[in-house]
Amino acid sequence: MSETILVTGACGQIGSELVPALRKVYNRVIASDLKEPPESLNDASDFIRLDVLYKNGLLDCIRRFKVTQVYHLAAVLSATGERNPEMAWRINMKGLRNVLDVCAANNVRKLFFPSTIAVFGPTTPKNGTPQFTVMEPNTIYGISKLAGERWCHWYHLKTGLDVRGLRYPGLISYKTKAGGGTTDYAVEIFFEAVQHKKYVCYLSENTVLPMMYMPDAIRGTIELMEAPAERISTRSSYNFSGISFSPAELAAEIKKHIPEFTIQYQPDFRQQIADGWPQSIDDSVAQRDWGWQPAYSLQAIVVDMLQNIRRLKSSSA
Ligand code: AKB
């Protein structure tokens, strides 16, 4: 397909897997980040250093490479955001405004915005959280992403920019470790289970949260972006659901494969963040509009994660 795609924040958990997936579909995908690229992103030499807070750099890149689509992944997540609210607000808000402005003014055809279940808050219905509902987030991450959703909607209304977004749940992957989120335990637990057969969880055992396996998240993201524009009924972000489980349920599933595995619970400040989030998400609008269906169950995720982490461990030994 003749598109030139720019991905910001490409070295993060989503970008590290989305960039290779996009490179299978599109002829040119430029990965960008502030960080040094991992090997998986550097192979096509299409990597540039880019700070989304520096608008002229962004503008120069979009014009120079004639970028037609942007996936704007650069963001600060929930736990890091609570520790550094000022930085989270600046990167999540100013970064997005720069991207929206530059895309709208330079005929970028499509923009992807990653939102989150953190846009909901303690007053939102916790189970089967609907697409349209009460939204009173109580983290800086959630506040900035909710404001971001409204900016996306506003730019679409005012400029016609084809912006599309997803409210990601916690994402589970073995390729790149999560960083700075509240749902990160669901990644860490696998590495600890394989390596040390034990894990100390910073959330309490019955804290149920919406989660998704990365292959589902990557496929859903590309499916949303490829859907015909007339099928997209919401320009803020779609509810996007995989499965829901608690740390105790995940630990029990891991124990089926590693019987000696043990888990302890020592909730920290992230417990309060998790307590304000939904437990399960109703994504019927995404299903109806562009046919979203997740593929991975908890059992399938655990089998795939353990197999791949063991494979990585034995190949690096
Ligand atoms: C986080 O925990 O902050 C993220 C999210 C749910 O958006 N994984």
Side-chain angles (χ1 to χ4, degrees):
M1 223 177 281
S2 180
E3 298 275 355
T4 299
I5 301 202
L6 172 69
V7 180
T8 71
C11 298
Q13 195 199 12
I14 301 173
S16 311
E17 298 200 33
L18 184 62
V19 169
L22 288 170
R23 283 184 176 155
K24 289 188 183 141
V25 183
Y26 299 103
N27 52 357
R28 185 148 201 211
V29 179
I30 302 162
S32 74
D33 207 300
L34 278 174
K35 294 184 216 156
E36 278 291 331
E39 234 169 70
S40 61
L41 295 189
N42 217 8
D43 55 0
S45 75
D46 262 344
F47 180 89
I48 56 167
R49 289 286 183 93
L50 188 66
D51 180 353
V52 290
L53 295 178
Y54 178 50
K55 195 171 176 181
N56 284 340
L58 189 61
L59 180 64
D60 177 60
C61 165
I62 282 179
R63 286 189 178 155
R64 188 152 42 104
F65 298 111
K66 299 188 173 49
V67 169
T68 57
Q69 295 191 32
V70 175
Y71 287 69
H72 173 48
L73 305 182
V76 172
L77 299 188
S78 56
T80 307
E82 290 312 281
R83 289 200 171 108
N84 197 337
E86 193 54 47
M87 176 186 74
W89 183 255
R90 205 174 60 247
I91 292 177
N92 293 0
M93 212 64 305
K94 183 76 188 145
L96 174 64
R97 290 286 322 280
N98 284 347
V99 170
L100 282 164
D101 260 354
V102 171
C103 285
N106 290 275
N107 301 318
V108 168
R109 287 201 323 105
K110 286 186 204 169
L111 169 63
F112 176 75
F113 169 67
S115 188
T116 163
I117 54 161
V119 292
F120 301 115
T123 51
T124 302
K126 267 203 174 314
N127 284 298
T129 301
Q131 174 74 42
F132 303 105
T133 184
V134 180
M135 298 174 91
E136 295 185 314
N138 58 7
T139 60
I140 288 298
Y141 174 57
I143 296 168
S144 64
K145 286 289 182 177
L146 179 55
E149 285 193 5
R150 301 322 301 160
W151 274 110
C152 289
H153 175 85
W154 187 87
Y155 267 83
H156 176 72
L157 278 184
K158 301 289 168 179
T159 71
L161 180 65
D162 186 350
V163 53
R164 307 170 182 203
L166 291 172
R167 293 175 180 151
Y168 287 120
L171 297 177
I172 301 169
S173 73
Y174 61 87
K175 290 189 183 157
T176 310
K177 290 193 181 165
T182 301
T183 57
D184 293 7
Y185 91 84
V187 176
E188 292 168 5
I189 191 171
F190 286 100
F191 286 89
E192 294 300 308
V194 170
Q195 215 164 355
H196 305 296
K197 318 265 181 268
K198 58 181 190 213
Y199 180 61
V200 180
C201 185
Y202 57 78
L203 295 182
S204 66
E205 60 184 311
N206 295 321
T207 308
V208 175
L209 287 172
M211 300 278 181
M212 186 180 285
Y213 201 33
M214 191 61 91
D216 272 344
I218 299 297
R219 179 174 55 81
T221 303
I222 296 176
E223 281 175 9
L224 167 70
M225 290 300 278
E226 287 189 342
E230 61 275 14
R231 303 296 298 269
I232 306 301
S233 66
T234 175
R235 296 300 179 161
S236 47
S237 280
Y238 280 97
N239 277 9
F240 187 48
S241 177
I243 51 167
S244 291
F245 56 77
S246 66
E249 286 164 333
L250 177 55
E253 199 54 44
I254 292 174
K255 234 172 140 45
K256 289 183 189 164
H257 303 269
I258 307 176
E260 58 280 42
F261 176 64
T262 59
I263 185 164
Q264 286 181 335
Y265 300 95
Q266 285 176 14
D268 66 13
F269 74 102
R270 288 169 282 193
Q271 183 66 46
Q272 200 192 2
I273 301 178
D275 287 342
W277 288 354
Q279 295 188 337
S280 64
I281 300 288
D282 173 354
D283 63 2
S284 49
V285 178
Q287 291 177 32
R288 182 200 67 196
D289 284 5
W290 47 278
W292 168 239
Q293 280 301 332
Y296 282 86
S297 63
L298 176 58
Q299 290 73 16
I301 294 173
V302 170
V303 168
D304 204 59
M305 282 292 285
L306 293 177
Q307 254 172 19
N308 280 294
I309 292 170
R310 282 178 176 137
R311 180 180 52 77
L312 291 176
K313 206 175 153 219
S314 64
S315 66
S316 70

